[in-house]
Amino acid sequence: MLKKHKVIFWDFDGVLLNSNEVRDAGFIEVLQSFPKEQVAQLLDFHRANGGLSRYVKFRYFFEEIRNEKISDDALQDWANQFSIIMKKLLVNKELLIHDSLNFVKSNYQAIPMHIVSGSDQTELRFLCQSLGISQFFKSIHGSPTAKNTLVAKLLLAQNYKPTDVVLIGDSGNDYEAATVNSIAFRGYNNPSLERFGVYIKDFSHF
């Protein structure tokens, strides 16, 4: 089912690394000086929109939840604070999802693979290097560029035909990024995505 595709785009959080709960903790720590009920609203938004970048989420927190305008510089500062925490907490090989990564390791020489993530690109590349998985991917891409745009740019840069590519993700935002770019989508590690069609329960039979 997957090997018929010539190229695989991977999401990162929840697909290659069990990082979603750690990122929850990161938002709580960074925003600890704000009312807990407001942070709880942000966490609801964060969990419902796993594929969106932290830049979108911090802007949502200040402008939609707190009704405050936030400058791009201030937004970058909050994102930087969040990244410092993530770099400390996510450099943990016990968080790697071996089900998906075993598939990657077995097939990366035959199938070109790329990471397209809502995570900050600099942080993402640091984590992949630190966790020892960078070498399995032709390229690694993240925010602040939106995932829809990341996918479009990667298709163009590599001259991939959309019909040859599949995106594997764990959120509705991943499905949207695949759909708007006319590539296939496979949900993983989130049973609610079964409604979108083909769902990967595990990689053991591939």
Side-chain angles (χ1 to χ4, degrees), residues 12-26 46 82 86 90 95-97 119 127 170 189:
F12 183 72
D13 294 301
V15 175
L16 299 172
L17 192 73
N18 265 323
S19 50
N20 290 331
E21 289 186 6
V22 177
R23 295 202 185 277
D24 284 5
H46 161 63
F82 185 82
M86 291 301 97
L90 293 178
L95 295 173
L96 291 169
I97 301 175
S119 296
L127 290 174
D170 71 334
N189 206 20

Side-chain angles (χ1 to χ4, degrees), residues 119-135:
S119 296
D120 177 80
Q121 182 167 283
T122 301
E123 174 192 306
L124 183 63
R125 291 175 175 175
F126 167 83
L127 290 174
C128 288
Q129 185 68 35
S130 300
L131 293 166
I133 64 173
S134 294
Q135 68 271 24

Side-chain angles (χ1 to χ4, degrees), residues 89-104:
L89 298 181
L90 293 178
V91 182
N92 179 359
K93 292 188 176 182
E94 292 183 4
L95 295 173
L96 291 169
I97 301 175
H98 294 290
D99 175 52
S100 55
L101 278 169
N102 286 340
F103 175 87
V104 170

Side-chain angles (χ1 to χ4, degrees), residues 65-152:
I65 295 175
R66 291 182 54 79
N67 295 311
E68 297 175 0
K69 290 295 291 182
I70 182 170
S71 69
D72 289 344
D73 286 344
L75 188 66
Q76 186 64 57
D77 184 57
W78 286 105
N80 290 344
Q81 292 181 54
F82 185 82
S83 189
I84 290 169
I85 297 169
M86 291 301 97
K87 285 180 178 179
K88 291 179 181 177
L89 298 181
L90 293 178
V91 182
N92 179 359
K93 292 188 176 182
E94 292 183 4
L95 295 173
L96 291 169
I97 301 175
H98 294 290
D99 175 52
S100 55
L101 278 169
N102 286 340
F103 175 87
V104 170
K105 293 174 184 178
S106 297
N107 294 280
Y108 78 99
Q109 291 178 312
I111 306 172
M113 300 186 186
H114 304 260
I115 292 177
V116 287
S117 172
S119 296
D120 177 80
Q121 182 167 283
T122 301
E123 174 192 306
L124 183 63
R125 291 175 175 175
F126 167 83
L127 290 174
C128 288
Q129 185 68 35
S130 300
L131 293 166
I133 64 173
S134 294
Q135 68 271 24
F136 303 122
F137 302 95
K138 284 194 67 177
S139 64
I140 298 169
H141 306 275
S143 64
T145 304
K147 187 170 294 189
N148 293 3
T149 305
L150 287 176
V151 171

